Amino acid sequence: MEKFAVDTNGFYGEFGGAYIPEILYDNVETLKNSYLNIINDPSFQKEYNDLLRDYAGRPSPLYLANRLSQKYGCKIYLKREDLNHTGSHKINNALGQILIARRMGKTRILAETGAGQHGVATATVCALMNMECIVYMGATDVARQKLNVQKMEMLGATVVPVTSGNMTLKDATNEAIRDWCSHPSDTYYVIGSTIGPHPYPDMVARLQSVISEEIRKQLLEKEGRETPDYLIACVGGGSNAAGTIYHFIDEPQTKIVLAEAAGKGIDSGESAATIHLGRLGIIHGCKTLLMQSEDGQIEEPYSISAGLDYPGIGPMHAHLAQIGRSEVLAVTDDEAMEAAFELTILEGIIPAIESAHALGALNKKQFNADDVVVLCLSGRGDKDMETYINYRNR
């Protein structure tokens, strides 16, 4: 991935970097100077890979969705991240980062969460490794993701509802960073996506790259080739998308299609389509595309999906979209929900609403009969049942 790799200052083209309060400088600098050595250490690799296999249940299956393929006139494989322990791709990153935190001598783990999947994954690994865990979650998300809150509490985490802003992911992240500033010495902040100050975007992408590593091996087995014609994933902060495309970025024959949340429509004023609507700005420690007003105030994003309503985007994804390596489609609430019900009826799989945005992109593309499409099903829909039922009963 050299051509598109992050530089030593944490930039992908003009996006990235580390813009942080002085009190966190030592923490972030220490992490920057040690994360690659830790990740590349054979003893880390062994412990991490053993846990991915025996605890998280990897490799996740690559499933040929026959009826969905028939509907769209091509071969569609689903990368089943929904079958991982805790129900999404988030466990890949939580295991890796908490192993890193432990090697750095940290005892207290912080996380932010939107849909609750990253929070559950972090709380799960903290229970496994006997670490204190505090999860910040917007009060709006606490209400719409009650089941995940109960899981986190059962796992021993302290869930802190955040009542500032529109009480969603952005606000939870603000509070988590405030907490980190107050406890810099013993605390490690597990960021759940490819966002935040360098080295987080690169570190999260590397930990999630197990997804694309497996896709290559599994496709070779099933299709006699390692590279698909299309990769499709949803993108909010961008971790499942980064993991899905990581080992294909330098393969120009593989087209990358990412779906962001258009909410009630790109021009509705109620949207989270950052790549379509964003302008250069700084959020949560990095320079990236950001939904903001004329005078630079962050605009509140909206999506039916609690995991995609973030006003920024991972710097890696801002860069790939800017240089034309990825095509980013805006998928509305209605398009995502329709795609979710379609997958459920055709394949007997209830997806997370985040993943349903990726499925919603299928309708917007024309495929050839011999195209091989791999779509990342980033999570399962258990957490979203209430939203699905309410939507259906409108």
Side-chain angles (χ1 to χ4, degrees), residues 95-118:
L95 279 167
Q97 281 202 56
I98 292 169
L99 284 176
I100 289 169
R102 203 168 64 175
R103 276 169 163 74
M104 290 174 70
K106 302 293 186 181
T107 55
R108 182 174 179 269
I109 300 294
L110 282 183
E112 86 298 322
T113 196
Q117 288 305 101
H118 171 57

Side-chain angles (χ1 to χ4, degrees), residues 102-379:
R102 203 168 64 175
R103 276 169 163 74
M104 290 174 70
K106 302 293 186 181
T107 55
R108 182 174 179 269
I109 300 294
L110 282 183
E112 86 298 322
T113 196
Q117 288 305 101
H118 171 57
V120 169
T122 305
T124 298
V125 181
C126 284
L128 174 71
M129 298 189 189
N130 192 23
M131 305 272 258
E132 185 186 355
C133 181
I134 297 97
V135 181
Y136 286 88
M137 190 172 188
T140 303
D141 294 335
V142 168
R144 62 180 167 176
Q145 298 290 348
K146 202 164 42 196
L147 182 65
N148 273 345
V149 174
Q150 288 163 341
K151 283 182 186 174
M152 287 183 265
E153 290 175 340
M154 186 171 171
L155 287 158
T158 302
V159 180
V160 182
V162 175
T163 53
S164 56
N166 69 339
M167 304 186 281
T168 58
L169 184 57
K170 164 182 71 71
D171 315 294
T173 307
N174 290 343
E175 289 306 319
I177 291 171
R178 277 193 196 108
D179 181 319
W180 194 21
C181 289
S182 307
H183 306 89
S185 58
D186 63 341
T187 297
Y188 181 96
Y189 180 20
V190 179
I191 293 181
S193 201
T194 48
I195 196 79
H198 178 61
Y200 280 102
D202 183 53
M203 179 169 58
V204 174
R206 284 170 189 268
L207 294 171
Q208 290 292 0
S209 73
V210 63
I211 299 172
S212 51
E213 200 179 306
E214 289 176 5
I215 290 171
R216 290 189 80 100
K217 289 179 192 157
Q218 291 167 321
L219 262 191
L220 186 60
E221 201 180 289
K222 293 175 187 292
E223 291 290 331
R225 55 191 264 205
E226 288 188 16
T227 53
D229 296 292
Y230 287 89
L231 286 168
I232 303 180
C234 67
V235 64
S239 63
N240 92 89
T244 302
I245 69 178
Y246 195 93
H247 290 290
F248 297 99
I249 289 177
D250 281 327
E251 306 272 11
Q253 69 274 35
T254 297
K255 298 177 186 71
I256 295 170
V257 178
L258 302 180
E260 62 178 0
K264 296 184 178 170
I266 288 188
D267 302 318
S268 66
E270 290 185 74
S271 168
T274 308
I275 290 177
H276 283 82
L277 298 170
R279 291 182 294 118
L280 196 61
I282 292 170
I283 185 170
H284 298 143
C286 68
K287 185 190 284 186
T288 187
L289 292 173
L290 184 55
M291 285 169 54
Q292 51 186 306
S293 62
E294 285 305 308
D295 57 358
Q297 294 300 309
I298 294 174
E299 302 212 311
E300 297 294 358
Y302 160 79
S303 168
I304 195 167
S305 154
L308 297 180
D309 60 352
Y310 185 67
I313 185 82
M316 169 188 181
H317 294 300
H319 176 59
L320 293 175
Q322 186 187 60
I323 63 175
R325 180 63 188 96
S326 65
E327 178 186 5
V328 182
L329 302 174
V331 175
T332 65
D333 288 356
D334 288 341
E335 288 166 339
M337 296 304 264
E338 202 175 304
F341 289 118
E342 177 179 88
L343 182 74
T344 305
I345 291 302
L346 292 181
E347 298 289 347
I349 299 169
I350 302 174
I353 296 176
E354 290 80 6
S355 315
H357 283 73
L359 293 159
L362 291 169
N363 239 336
K364 297 175 182 283
K365 299 296 294 178
Q366 285 295 313
F367 300 106
N368 298 321
D370 59 352
D371 280 343
V372 171
V373 177
V374 175
L375 186 146
C376 182
L377 205 70
S378 57

